[in-house]
Amino acid sequence: MGFLTTHVLDTARGCPAEGVGIELFRLTGDKREKLNTVVTNDDGRVDGPILAEADFQTGTYELVFLAGNYLKASGAPLTDPAFLDEIPIRFGISDGDAHYHVPLLLSPYGYSTYRGS
């Protein structure tokens, strides 16, 4: 069975992003179901899979990274309102037996993601 993980790196400071809240949703048609809420640890990761084997299935998902609170707490110079606050990343899981890793590379004025391993 597959599972889902993430990792958040602060590219402006060159370190893991500790304390970033992350919400996971499953999307089915017009329905958006919240499955989990987690917070990154001192390594910018969460303790265990965000979506464990028992709940893992193919479909469309969305991770929402609550970056605004982290960026404010980090002391980054921000505008008011901040350019980035909540960062949604919508992605598909097509292989129910695979490990999906969706990292976020974050700075106060930009971000990127990719399918990691």
Side-chain angles (χ1 to χ4, degrees), residues 41-82:
N41 61 23
D42 63 350
D43 192 34
R45 300 177 186 274
V46 299
D47 298 325
I50 300 171
L51 185 60
E53 294 177 6
D55 299 317
F56 197 83
Q57 57 186 273
T58 60
T60 303
Y61 293 83
E62 186 174 79
L63 284 169
V64 179
F65 294 86
L66 307 175
N69 292 336
Y70 166 79
L71 292 168
K72 288 174 193 163
S74 76
L78 302 175
T79 58
D80 186 20

mmCIF file of all heavy atoms in Angstrom, residues 41-82:
data_model
loop_
_atom_site.group_PDB
_atom_site.id
_atom_site.type_symbol
_atom_site.label_atom_id
_atom_site.label_comp_id
_atom_site.label_asym_id
_atom_site.label_seq_id
_atom_site.Cartn_x
_atom_site.Cartn_y
_atom_site.Cartn_z
ATOM 1 N N ASN A 41 7.950 19.417 11.894
ATOM 2 C CA ASN A 41 8.858 19.354 13.046
ATOM 3 C C ASN A 41 10.134 20.153 12.757
ATOM 4 O O ASN A 41 10.211 20.875 11.749
ATOM 5 C CB ASN A 41 9.152 17.892 13.416
ATOM 6 C CG ASN A 41 9.828 17.120 12.289
ATOM 7 O OD1 ASN A 41 10.473 17.693 11.400
ATOM 8 N ND2 ASN A 41 9.682 15.807 12.312
ATOM 9 N N ASP A 42 11.147 20.009 13.598
ATOM 10 C CA ASP A 42 12.373 20.794 13.438
ATOM 11 C C ASP A 42 13.185 20.435 12.197
ATOM 12 O O ASP A 42 14.105 21.148 11.825
ATOM 13 C CB ASP A 42 13.246 20.708 14.693
ATOM 14 C CG ASP A 42 13.734 19.305 15.006
ATOM 15 O OD1 ASP A 42 13.264 18.333 14.375
ATOM 16 O OD2 ASP A 42 14.585 19.169 15.895
ATOM 17 N N ASP A 43 12.816 19.349 11.529
ATOM 18 C CA ASP A 43 13.458 18.963 10.272
ATOM 19 C C ASP A 43 12.604 19.361 9.065
ATOM 20 O O ASP A 43 12.907 18.989 7.937
ATOM 21 C CB ASP A 43 13.723 17.453 10.272
ATOM 22 C CG ASP A 43 14.644 17.020 9.149
ATOM 23 O OD1 ASP A 43 15.561 17.789 8.783
ATOM 24 O OD2 ASP A 43 14.448 15.905 8.615
ATOM 25 N N GLY A 44 11.511 20.101 9.314
ATOM 26 C CA GLY A 44 10.624 20.517 8.233
ATOM 27 C C GLY A 44 9.741 19.394 7.717
ATOM 28 O O GLY A 44 9.082 19.534 6.693
ATOM 29 N N ARG A 45 9.712 18.290 8.425
ATOM 30 C CA ARG A 45 8.897 17.124 8.038
ATOM 31 C C ARG A 45 7.785 16.940 9.064
ATOM 32 O O ARG A 45 7.781 17.582 10.103
ATOM 33 C CB ARG A 45 9.762 15.860 7.987
ATOM 34 C CG ARG A 45 10.900 15.957 6.988
ATOM 35 C CD ARG A 45 11.776 14.712 7.006
ATOM 36 N NE ARG A 45 12.935 14.863 6.158
ATOM 37 C CZ ARG A 45 12.961 14.600 4.859
ATOM 38 N NH1 ARG A 45 11.874 14.154 4.248
ATOM 39 N NH2 ARG A 45 14.072 14.772 4.165
ATOM 40 N N VAL A 46 6.877 16.034 8.773
ATOM 41 C CA VAL A 46 5.872 15.673 9.765
ATOM 42 C C VAL A 46 6.224 14.297 10.313
ATOM 43 O O VAL A 46 6.922 13.521 9.661
ATOM 44 C CB VAL A 46 4.438 15.713 9.185
ATOM 45 C CG1 VAL A 46 4.106 17.114 8.712
ATOM 46 C CG2 VAL A 46 4.250 14.740 8.066
ATOM 47 N N ASP A 47 5.779 14.034 11.514
ATOM 48 C CA ASP A 47 6.099 12.764 12.165
ATOM 49 C C ASP A 47 5.175 11.674 11.642
ATOM 50 O O ASP A 47 4.091 11.465 12.170
ATOM 51 C CB ASP A 47 5.982 12.900 13.685
ATOM 52 C CG ASP A 47 6.953 13.923 14.244
ATOM 53 O OD1 ASP A 47 8.058 14.036 13.706
ATOM 54 O OD2 ASP A 47 6.595 14.631 15.201
ATOM 55 N N GLY A 48 5.587 11.011 10.582
ATOM 56 C CA GLY A 48 4.800 9.948 9.976
ATOM 57 C C GLY A 48 4.114 10.425 8.712
ATOM 58 O O GLY A 48 4.145 11.610 8.375
ATOM 59 N N PRO A 49 3.486 9.507 7.999
ATOM 60 C CA PRO A 49 2.796 9.868 6.763
ATOM 61 C C PRO A 49 1.607 10.795 7.024
ATOM 62 O O PRO A 49 0.948 10.693 8.055
ATOM 63 C CB PRO A 49 2.306 8.530 6.206
ATOM 64 C CG PRO A 49 3.060 7.484 6.936
ATOM 65 C CD PRO A 49 3.462 8.073 8.254
ATOM 66 N N ILE A 50 1.341 11.687 6.085
ATOM 67 C CA ILE A 50 0.162 12.547 6.175
ATOM 68 C C ILE A 50 -1.088 11.736 5.832
ATOM 69 O O ILE A 50 -2.150 11.956 6.383
ATOM 70 C CB ILE A 50 0.280 13.731 5.212
ATOM 71 C CG1 ILE A 50 1.499 14.560 5.548
ATOM 72 C CG2 ILE A 50 -0.960 14.599 5.251
ATOM 73 C CD1 ILE A 50 1.795 15.611 4.515
ATOM 74 N N LEU A 51 -0.931 10.820 4.918
ATOM 75 C CA LEU A 51 -2.009 9.915 4.531
ATOM 76 C C LEU A 51 -1.435 8.516 4.615
ATOM 77 O O LEU A 51 -0.591 8.127 3.808
ATOM 78 C CB LEU A 51 -2.495 10.230 3.114
ATOM 79 C CG LEU A 51 -3.694 9.451 2.610
ATOM 80 C CD1 LEU A 51 -4.919 9.675 3.498
ATOM 81 C CD2 LEU A 51 -4.010 9.845 1.174
ATOM 82 N N ALA A 52 -1.846 7.785 5.613
ATOM 83 C CA ALA A 52 -1.293 6.463 5.887
ATOM 84 C C ALA A 52 -1.886 5.408 4.967
ATOM 85 O O ALA A 52 -2.895 5.638 4.288
ATOM 86 C CB ALA A 52 -1.554 6.092 7.347
ATOM 87 N N GLU A 53 -1.268 4.251 4.979
ATOM 88 C CA GLU A 53 -1.663 3.153 4.106
ATOM 89 C C GLU A 53 -3.150 2.817 4.202
ATOM 90 O O GLU A 53 -3.795 2.567 3.190
ATOM 91 C CB GLU A 53 -0.832 1.912 4.424
ATOM 92 C CG GLU A 53 0.631 2.076 4.099
ATOM 93 C CD GLU A 53 1.460 0.862 4.487
ATOM 94 O OE1 GLU A 53 0.879 -0.159 4.911
ATOM 95 O OE2 GLU A 53 2.688 0.936 4.378
ATOM 96 N N ALA A 54 -3.711 2.805 5.391
ATOM 97 C CA ALA A 54 -5.112 2.405 5.575
ATOM 98 C C ALA A 54 -6.091 3.339 4.854
ATOM 99 O O ALA A 54 -7.163 2.911 4.436
ATOM 100 C CB ALA A 54 -5.448 2.344 7.058
ATOM 101 N N ASP A 55 -5.729 4.620 4.702
ATOM 102 C CA ASP A 55 -6.613 5.607 4.066
ATOM 103 C C ASP A 55 -6.185 5.959 2.648
ATOM 104 O O ASP A 55 -6.833 6.762 1.986
ATOM 105 C CB ASP A 55 -6.640 6.894 4.904
ATOM 106 C CG ASP A 55 -7.164 6.650 6.299
ATOM 107 O OD1 ASP A 55 -8.169 5.923 6.435
ATOM 108 O OD2 ASP A 55 -6.565 7.168 7.254
ATOM 109 N N PHE A 56 -5.090 5.393 2.189
ATOM 110 C CA PHE A 56 -4.508 5.755 0.898
ATOM 111 C C PHE A 56 -5.318 5.162 -0.247
ATOM 112 O O PHE A 56 -5.590 3.972 -0.270
ATOM 113 C CB PHE A 56 -3.070 5.238 0.847
ATOM 114 C CG PHE A 56 -2.243 5.865 -0.228
ATOM 115 C CD1 PHE A 56 -1.630 7.082 -0.028
ATOM 116 C CD2 PHE A 56 -2.060 5.228 -1.439
ATOM 117 C CE1 PHE A 56 -0.855 7.668 -1.014
ATOM 118 C CE2 PHE A 56 -1.289 5.796 -2.432
ATOM 119 C CZ PHE A 56 -0.680 7.019 -2.221
ATOM 120 N N GLN A 57 -5.697 6.009 -1.182
ATOM 121 C CA GLN A 57 -6.406 5.551 -2.375
ATOM 122 C C GLN A 57 -6.158 6.521 -3.521
ATOM 123 O O GLN A 57 -5.757 7.667 -3.292
ATOM 124 C CB GLN A 57 -7.900 5.389 -2.104
ATOM 125 C CG GLN A 57 -8.576 6.634 -1.598
ATOM 126 C CD GLN A 57 -10.022 6.377 -1.213
ATOM 127 O OE1 GLN A 57 -10.905 6.457 -2.040
ATOM 128 N NE2 GLN A 57 -10.245 6.058 0.049
ATOM 129 N N THR A 58 -6.370 6.052 -4.728
ATOM 130 C CA THR A 58 -6.185 6.929 -5.872
ATOM 131 C C THR A 58 -7.228 8.037 -5.835
ATOM 132 O O THR A 58 -8.275 7.909 -5.214
ATOM 133 C CB THR A 58 -6.297 6.149 -7.190
ATOM 134 O OG1 THR A 58 -7.590 5.552 -7.269
ATOM 135 C CG2 THR A 58 -5.223 5.073 -7.290
ATOM 136 N N GLY A 59 -6.903 9.164 -6.484
ATOM 137 C CA GLY A 59 -7.834 10.280 -6.523
ATOM 138 C C GLY A 59 -7.109 11.613 -6.545
ATOM 139 O O GLY A 59 -5.887 11.680 -6.711
ATOM 140 N N THR A 60 -7.873 12.676 -6.360
ATOM 141 C CA THR A 60 -7.346 14.031 -6.361
ATOM 142 C C THR A 60 -7.296 14.539 -4.925
ATOM 143 O O THR A 60 -8.264 14.394 -4.172
ATOM 144 C CB THR A 60 -8.225 14.951 -7.223
ATOM 145 O OG1 THR A 60 -8.289 14.411 -8.543
ATOM 146 C CG2 THR A 60 -7.661 16.359 -7.281
ATOM 147 N N TYR A 61 -6.173 15.148 -4.582
ATOM 148 C CA TYR A 61 -5.932 15.626 -3.224
ATOM 149 C C TYR A 61 -5.437 17.067 -3.260
ATOM 150 O O TYR A 61 -4.983 17.556 -4.295
ATOM 151 C CB TYR A 61 -4.890 14.748 -2.517
ATOM 152 C CG TYR A 61 -5.380 13.355 -2.259
ATOM 153 C CD1 TYR A 61 -5.325 12.381 -3.243
ATOM 154 C CD2 TYR A 61 -5.925 13.004 -1.030
ATOM 155 C CE1 TYR A 61 -5.791 11.095 -3.017
ATOM 156 C CE2 TYR A 61 -6.391 11.727 -0.785
ATOM 157 C CZ TYR A 61 -6.320 10.777 -1.783
ATOM 158 O OH TYR A 61 -6.794 9.514 -1.540
ATOM 159 N N GLU A 62 -5.497 17.713 -2.105
ATOM 160 C CA GLU A 62 -4.966 19.059 -1.978
ATOM 161 C C GLU A 62 -4.277 19.187 -0.626
ATOM 162 O O GLU A 62 -4.870 18.879 0.405
ATOM 163 C CB GLU A 62 -6.089 20.090 -2.091
ATOM 164 C CG GLU A 62 -5.617 21.518 -2.106
ATOM 165 C CD GLU A 62 -6.761 22.481 -2.365
ATOM 166 O OE1 GLU A 62 -7.510 22.763 -1.405
ATOM 167 O OE2 GLU A 62 -6.906 22.923 -3.510
ATOM 168 N N LEU A 63 -3.024 19.614 -0.657
ATOM 169 C CA LEU A 63 -2.310 20.001 0.551
ATOM 170 C C LEU A 63 -2.383 21.516 0.633
ATOM 171 O O LEU A 63 -2.121 22.200 -0.358
ATOM 172 C CB LEU A 63 -0.848 19.575 0.484
ATOM 173 C CG LEU A 63 -0.552 18.101 0.713
ATOM 174 C CD1 LEU A 63 0.892 17.789 0.363
ATOM 175 C CD2 LEU A 63 -0.847 17.707 2.151
ATOM 176 N N VAL A 64 -2.750 22.048 1.781
ATOM 177 C CA VAL A 64 -2.770 23.494 1.996
ATOM 178 C C VAL A 64 -1.726 23.792 3.059
ATOM 179 O O VAL A 64 -1.862 23.393 4.222
ATOM 180 C CB VAL A 64 -4.160 24.006 2.423
ATOM 181 C CG1 VAL A 64 -4.114 25.506 2.668
ATOM 182 C CG2 VAL A 64 -5.207 23.656 1.365
ATOM 183 N N PHE A 65 -0.662 24.470 2.639
ATOM 184 C CA PHE A 65 0.423 24.849 3.532
ATOM 185 C C PHE A 65 0.098 26.213 4.120
ATOM 186 O O PHE A 65 -0.088 27.185 3.382
ATOM 187 C CB PHE A 65 1.749 24.893 2.760
ATOM 188 C CG PHE A 65 2.188 23.544 2.256
ATOM 189 C CD1 PHE A 65 1.728 23.061 1.042
ATOM 190 C CD2 PHE A 65 3.059 22.767 2.992
ATOM 191 C CE1 PHE A 65 2.133 21.826 0.567
ATOM 192 C CE2 PHE A 65 3.476 21.527 2.534
ATOM 193 C CZ PHE A 65 3.006 21.051 1.310
ATOM 194 N N LEU A 66 0.004 26.308 5.431
ATOM 195 C CA LEU A 66 -0.332 27.552 6.120
ATOM 196 C C LEU A 66 0.956 28.341 6.343
ATOM 197 O O LEU A 66 1.451 28.477 7.465
ATOM 198 C CB LEU A 66 -1.076 27.232 7.416
ATOM 199 C CG LEU A 66 -2.291 26.305 7.220
ATOM 200 C CD1 LEU A 66 -2.912 25.928 8.555
ATOM 201 C CD2 LEU A 66 -3.312 26.929 6.292
ATOM 202 N N ALA A 67 1.479 28.852 5.260
ATOM 203 C CA ALA A 67 2.808 29.464 5.245
ATOM 204 C C ALA A 67 2.860 30.836 5.905
ATOM 205 O O ALA A 67 3.902 31.229 6.433
ATOM 206 C CB ALA A 67 3.299 29.570 3.801
ATOM 207 N N GLY A 68 1.776 31.589 5.864
ATOM 208 C CA GLY A 68 1.783 32.950 6.390
ATOM 209 C C GLY A 68 2.210 33.035 7.840
ATOM 210 O O GLY A 68 3.047 33.867 8.202
ATOM 211 N N ASN A 69 1.659 32.191 8.678
ATOM 212 C CA ASN A 69 2.027 32.206 10.101
ATOM 213 C C ASN A 69 3.497 31.877 10.286
ATOM 214 O O ASN A 69 4.183 32.488 11.107
ATOM 215 C CB ASN A 69 1.169 31.224 10.889
ATOM 216 C CG ASN A 69 -0.274 31.665 10.968
ATOM 217 O OD1 ASN A 69 -0.588 32.840 10.844
ATOM 218 N ND2 ASN A 69 -1.164 30.702 11.157
ATOM 219 N N TYR A 70 3.984 30.897 9.531
ATOM 220 C CA TYR A 70 5.407 30.538 9.626
ATOM 221 C C TYR A 70 6.286 31.714 9.203
ATOM 222 O O TYR A 70 7.259 32.045 9.886
ATOM 223 C CB TYR A 70 5.716 29.310 8.759
ATOM 224 C CG TYR A 70 7.202 29.142 8.565
ATOM 225 C CD1 TYR A 70 7.984 28.582 9.565
ATOM 226 C CD2 TYR A 70 7.836 29.598 7.414
ATOM 227 C CE1 TYR A 70 9.363 28.471 9.425
ATOM 228 C CE2 TYR A 70 9.207 29.499 7.262
ATOM 229 C CZ TYR A 70 9.961 28.933 8.265
ATOM 230 O OH TYR A 70 11.327 28.839 8.127
ATOM 231 N N LEU A 71 5.964 32.326 8.063
ATOM 232 C CA LEU A 71 6.789 33.428 7.558
ATOM 233 C C LEU A 71 6.813 34.601 8.535
ATOM 234 O O LEU A 71 7.863 35.202 8.767
ATOM 235 C CB LEU A 71 6.293 33.864 6.179
ATOM 236 C CG LEU A 71 6.522 32.832 5.067
ATOM 237 C CD1 LEU A 71 5.737 33.216 3.816
ATOM 238 C CD2 LEU A 71 8.002 32.677 4.767
ATOM 239 N N LYS A 72 5.669 34.922 9.135
ATOM 240 C CA LYS A 72 5.636 35.995 10.140
ATOM 241 C C LYS A 72 6.515 35.646 11.331
ATOM 242 O O LYS A 72 7.292 36.469 11.809
ATOM 243 C CB LYS A 72 4.200 36.246 10.604
ATOM 244 C CG LYS A 72 3.336 36.920 9.574
ATOM 245 C CD LYS A 72 1.897 37.011 10.033
ATOM 246 C CE LYS A 72 1.011 37.399 8.868
ATOM 247 N NZ LYS A 72 -0.393 37.140 9.110
ATOM 248 N N ALA A 73 6.400 34.424 11.824
ATOM 249 C CA ALA A 73 7.165 33.993 12.989
ATOM 250 C C ALA A 73 8.659 33.917 12.695
ATOM 251 O O ALA A 73 9.476 34.068 13.607
ATOM 252 C CB ALA A 73 6.664 32.638 13.480
ATOM 253 N N SER A 74 9.026 33.717 11.437
ATOM 254 C CA SER A 74 10.445 33.585 11.081
ATOM 255 C C SER A 74 11.167 34.926 11.071
ATOM 256 O O SER A 74 12.392 34.971 10.992
ATOM 257 C CB SER A 74 10.587 32.924 9.704
ATOM 258 O OG SER A 74 10.281 33.846 8.661
ATOM 259 N N GLY A 75 10.406 36.020 11.124
ATOM 260 C CA GLY A 75 11.017 37.343 11.087
ATOM 261 C C GLY A 75 11.284 37.850 9.690
ATOM 262 O O GLY A 75 11.959 38.859 9.506
ATOM 263 N N ALA A 76 10.773 37.147 8.692
ATOM 264 C CA ALA A 76 10.960 37.580 7.308
ATOM 265 C C ALA A 76 10.308 38.945 7.107
ATOM 266 O O ALA A 76 9.231 39.203 7.648
ATOM 267 C CB ALA A 76 10.341 36.557 6.351
ATOM 268 N N PRO A 77 10.945 39.842 6.355
ATOM 269 C CA PRO A 77 10.322 41.137 6.064
ATOM 270 C C PRO A 77 9.146 40.928 5.100
ATOM 271 O O PRO A 77 9.339 40.473 3.983
ATOM 272 C CB PRO A 77 11.448 41.940 5.407
ATOM 273 C CG PRO A 77 12.393 40.913 4.875
ATOM 274 C CD PRO A 77 12.266 39.706 5.749
ATOM 275 N N LEU A 78 7.946 41.208 5.577
ATOM 276 C CA LEU A 78 6.739 40.947 4.799
ATOM 277 C C LEU A 78 5.957 42.230 4.560
ATOM 278 O O LEU A 78 6.006 43.153 5.362
ATOM 279 C CB LEU A 78 5.838 39.953 5.540
ATOM 280 C CG LEU A 78 6.444 38.596 5.883
ATOM 281 C CD1 LEU A 78 5.470 37.791 6.729
ATOM 282 C CD2 LEU A 78 6.826 37.843 4.625
ATOM 283 N N THR A 79 5.211 42.236 3.474
ATOM 284 C CA THR A 79 4.277 43.326 3.226
ATOM 285 C C THR A 79 3.019 43.082 4.047
ATOM 286 O O THR A 79 2.831 42.008 4.615
ATOM 287 C CB THR A 79 3.919 43.389 1.731
ATOM 288 O OG1 THR A 79 3.370 42.130 1.334
ATOM 289 C CG2 THR A 79 5.143 43.711 0.885
ATOM 290 N N ASP A 80 2.139 44.069 4.096
ATOM 291 C CA ASP A 80 0.868 43.913 4.810
ATOM 292 C C ASP A 80 -0.269 44.214 3.841
ATOM 293 O O ASP A 80 -0.434 45.360 3.457
ATOM 294 C CB ASP A 80 0.809 44.855 6.007
ATOM 295 C CG ASP A 80 -0.431 44.612 6.852
ATOM 296 O OD1 ASP A 80 -1.014 43.516 6.738
ATOM 297 O OD2 ASP A 80 -0.802 45.514 7.617
ATOM 298 N N PRO A 81 -1.018 43.225 3.390
ATOM 299 C CA PRO A 81 -0.923 41.814 3.777
ATOM 300 C C PRO A 81 0.283 41.137 3.124
ATOM 301 O O PRO A 81 0.809 41.617 2.121
ATOM 302 C CB PRO A 81 -2.229 41.213 3.249
ATOM 303 C CG PRO A 81 -2.593 42.057 2.084
ATOM 304 C CD PRO A 81 -2.107 43.451 2.411
ATOM 305 N N ALA A 82 0.676 40.014 3.700
ATOM 306 C CA ALA A 82 1.803 39.258 3.159
ATOM 307 C C ALA A 82 1.462 38.733 1.769
ATOM 308 O O ALA A 82 0.296 38.435 1.473
ATOM 309 C CB ALA A 82 2.143 38.094 4.086
#
